Amino acid sequence: MLAACSAPAGAPADGDRDTFVLGLRSEFDTLNPVLGYAPDGGSLLFDGLVTRAADLTLRPALAREIPEVDGTTVTFRLREGVTFHDGTPLTSEDVAFTYNAVLDPANNSTIRGDYAAIERVEAPDPQTVIFHLKHPYAPILQRATLGIVPKRLLEGQDLDKAPFNTKPVGTGPYRFVSWTPGDKIVLEANEDYWGGAPSIKRLVLAFVPDDNARATRMAAGELDATELPPKAAARFDGQDGITVHRVPSADYRAVMFPMKQPVTGDPAIRKAISAAVDRAAMVTTILAGAGDPAFGPIAPGTKWHDPAVTGSPTADRERAVRILEEAGWKPGPDGIRVKDGTPARFTLMYPANDSLRKELALAVASDAKRIGIDVQVAGLDWDAIEPRMAKDALIMGYGSPYDPDYVNYELFHSSFSGQGFFNPGHFSDPRVDELLEKGRATADEGERKRIYGEFQRRIRDQEAWTYLVYLQHVYVIRGEWTGIEPSVEAHEHATGGLFRNIHEWKRAA
């Protein structure tokens, strides 16, 4: 359910009713879908073959209709009359080029693994696209949200260095105007958009990494909308001309443990941490009530969640101590437990500009100390965090409501061990590998639920990660608008999330 607190509408941030300023937490690495920009939709610059409705069902976008999946072949028919922002027509050659470019190892696509089931994509005529799969792949239609790029602007180029990456041309409801690195991207309405011209004519994506800075700029009237941590957003409840939306998500925060380290590699340490943390207090104090306790990688309330994957929302220190004692972790003279001469001590990293993750890290450290585990928190930038993930634990955020294959395959399949932010802790379990492989290759929904139920229970039983909370995403929006459609959101939502259909918003009369 969407929860909103509102008051009478106010003026837009810059006084221009045709301009809307969005405050975003992070800047994009690229605007090229082939290289990983907004593959799940919501980019506003590009369209996929399909898009998602608010209830997460698929609906046609560049495709005329949602096709049937016939074993290892999927055929899409394209919508007629669609043009790119430069006026050239969209054809099946553009679709085939986009997907084949993702699959091409010569291109540094961060999302290639998501499309590994695709053998090739062909364009037998201008309006027909055929996907040939290596094996049956249940989520293939879910992967058809990838934005389509124009072949003629990218063919034969080094995609890693293509000017297109920062000056894109798509078919979406907004066209690119400018990008000022470290500051903002400016978009303008595509008046020829096949889905209808946007009411908001000029969209500014302002990059404001610091949570408190975004809240301050929102309060000062410099932003028309932004996403904020729950406590930072609470100040706007009841303010004239501002609405606060609290939207459910599959977006979790969890402790990622390095499996090859002597302390965090011990399941007793991981299970004790999980028993000792007070998730209910985290929801109440850190999330200001805008969230729920988390115990596994698939969110409750989504159809793939296994209800057996649960736990105590409050701390169970007696159980935590019992786990440690039985595993040979005994109190040392300073109160920190020791086993075979190794103290129960590890570092827990978090991104320094993320106030919510900082508070969660501090809460984990405080709860752990009460059972004799010394957790030393470290706020770092991502460049410093990445090379340390095989050694030090990290407060991570992931989660998707779309399909259980999403994210989980890359995070827990051993073939992804140590590949950047995929499986950074080097988790390895042959049975988990087997389940993940079966899950993506099985078409029957009931069988897939059984497979992913076992997967969730196995991750929980091994305490591969300690899941802390599922967030509600909290948005603050100036003025009154029609067309806002809440949906269960993924971790990766960028300009998606509540803003994914901003081209359909209209100012309330």
Side-chain angles (χ1 to χ4, degrees):
M1 293 291 293
L2 169 72
C5 302
S6 63
D14 64 355
D16 179 355
R17 289 179 63 86
D18 286 337
T19 297
F20 195 93
V21 184
L22 286 180
L24 302 183
R25 172 177 294 160
S26 57
E27 190 166 6
F28 309 111
D29 294 324
T30 178
L31 295 177
N32 187 341
V34 171
L35 300 183
Y37 172 62
D40 292 317
S43 78
L44 304 177
L45 289 163
F46 297 92
D47 295 305
L49 291 168
V50 303
T51 186
R52 292 188 179 90
D55 64 0
L56 301 183
T57 57
L58 296 175
R59 62 186 184 188
L62 296 181
R64 293 182 211 169
E65 64 275 319
I66 304 296
E68 296 293 326
V69 178
D70 182 16
T72 57
T73 302
V74 186
T75 301
F76 290 91
R77 311 288 181 185
L78 295 187
R79 186 183 298 273
E80 296 181 356
V82 177
T83 60
F84 286 100
H85 298 150
D86 61 1
T88 58
L90 168 83
T91 75
S92 58
E93 290 283 346
D94 301 303
V95 180
F97 173 83
T98 299
Y99 281 88
N100 290 326
V102 169
L103 299 174
D104 186 349
N107 299 323
N108 187 28
S109 178
T110 59
I111 57 174
R112 183 174 303 113
D114 295 340
Y115 302 87
I118 301 173
E119 178 75 39
R120 70 185 190 283
V121 181
E122 64 174 341
D125 65 59
Q127 298 301 119
T128 304
V129 184
I130 302 176
F131 285 66
H132 296 278
L133 308 181
K134 299 174 184 175
H135 51 75
Y137 178 59
I140 184 60
L141 295 180
Q142 298 283 348
R143 297 295 187 187
T145 54
L146 179 67
I148 302 304
V149 302
K151 175 181 178 180
R152 68 178 192 84
L153 294 183
L154 288 168
E155 188 175 30
Q157 293 194 38
D158 180 349
L159 263 59
D160 292 340
K161 301 176 181 177
F164 184 94
N165 299 345
T166 55
K167 295 181 180 179
V169 176
T171 61
Y174 285 92
R175 65 177 73 239
F176 177 84
V177 175
S178 65
W179 185 351
T180 307
D183 183 20
K184 64 185 177 183
I185 287 175
V186 178
L187 310 177
E188 66 181 11
N190 176 8
E191 297 296 338
D192 299 318
Y193 185 53
W194 59 266
S199 174
I200 297 172
K201 300 304 181 185
R202 187 170 181 266
L203 195 59
V204 179
L205 312 180
F207 306 120
V208 189
D210 186 81
D211 296 330
N212 293 325
R214 284 200 315 286
T216 298
R217 290 183 64 176
M218 187 72 202
E222 297 176 16
L223 304 176
D224 287 299
T226 192
E227 184 185 357
L228 290 171
K231 289 205 299 188
R235 65 190 281 193
F236 296 100
D237 281 325
Q239 283 197 19
D240 288 349
I242 288 180
T243 306
V244 179
H245 299 267
R246 293 174 174 87
V247 182
S249 84
D251 183 9
Y252 57 73
R253 297 294 178 271
V255 179
M256 182 283 299
F257 294 107
M259 294 293 172
K260 295 184 177 181
Q261 297 301 314
V263 177
T264 52
D266 187 331
I269 291 287
R270 304 194 301 270
K271 291 178 180 181
I273 291 282
S274 183
V277 294
D278 191 337
R279 296 170 174 85
M282 292 175 177
V283 170
T284 300
T285 60
I286 299 174
L287 302 186
D292 295 285
F295 300 97
I298 296 179
T302 58
K303 74 176 184 178
W304 300 103
H305 175 253
D306 185 339
V309 179
T310 187
S312 172
T314 55
D316 187 346
R317 294 189 191 94
E318 288 185 8
R319 178 170 174 266
V321 167
R322 186 168 62 251
I323 291 169
L324 292 170
E325 289 283 347
E326 291 175 354
W329 290 95
K330 305 297 183 182
D334 58 356
I336 303 305
R337 293 178 180 272
V338 180
K339 179 180 179 180
D340 299 331
T342 299
R345 177 178 292 116
F346 65 90
T347 297
L348 177 58
M349 304 182 291
Y350 65 88
N353 64 359
D354 191 320
S355 60
L356 191 150
R357 294 195 207 196
K358 176 181 180 179
E359 290 191 64
L360 289 173
L362 291 171
V364 170
S366 176
D367 289 340
K369 187 174 182 179
R370 297 184 183 188
I371 60 169
I373 298 176
D374 182 19
V375 177
Q376 302 176 338
V377 300
L380 305 167
D381 62 36
W382 286 112
D383 288 340
I385 287 171
E386 187 167 3
R388 292 176 52 168
M389 292 188 296
K391 177 184 177 183
D392 296 323
L394 172 64
I395 298 285
M396 293 198 77
Y398 271 113
S400 170
Y402 307 135
D403 189 277
D405 179 73
Y406 272 47
V407 180
N408 292 311
Y409 196 97
E410 289 85 354
L411 288 183
F412 296 109
H413 197 284
S414 62
S415 65
F416 280 87
S417 290
Q419 293 189 27
F421 291 97
F422 292 151
N423 198 353
H426 295 263
F427 175 80
S428 180
D429 177 357
R431 180 57 179 164
V432 166
D433 286 353
E434 182 182 359
L435 291 167
L436 290 170
E437 290 161 10
K438 284 184 176 179
R440 61 171 28 182
T442 301
D444 181 77
E445 184 171 301
E447 178 63 9
R448 294 190 81 215
K449 284 187 175 180
R450 186 198 67 76
I451 290 168
Y452 285 109
E454 183 182 344
F455 158 75
Q456 292 169 74
R457 295 190 297 273
R458 198 163 183 90
I459 292 297
R460 173 65 171 153
D461 290 345
Q462 297 183 63
E463 201 63 31
W465 292 19
T466 288
Y467 293 87
L468 302 174
V469 293
Y470 277 99
L471 310 182
Q472 290 178 10
H473 291 160
V474 185
Y475 298 89
V476 182
I477 301 176
R478 192 178 310 281
E480 293 186 357
W481 299 86
T482 63
I484 297 176
E485 295 185 340
S487 179
V488 178
E489 296 178 3
H491 170 66
E492 298 290 349
H493 51 289
T495 54
L498 201 62
F499 304 134
R500 75 192 183 286
N501 73 326
I502 197 170
H503 57 288
E504 297 174 344
W505 294 11
K506 297 184 186 300
R507 197 176 294 279

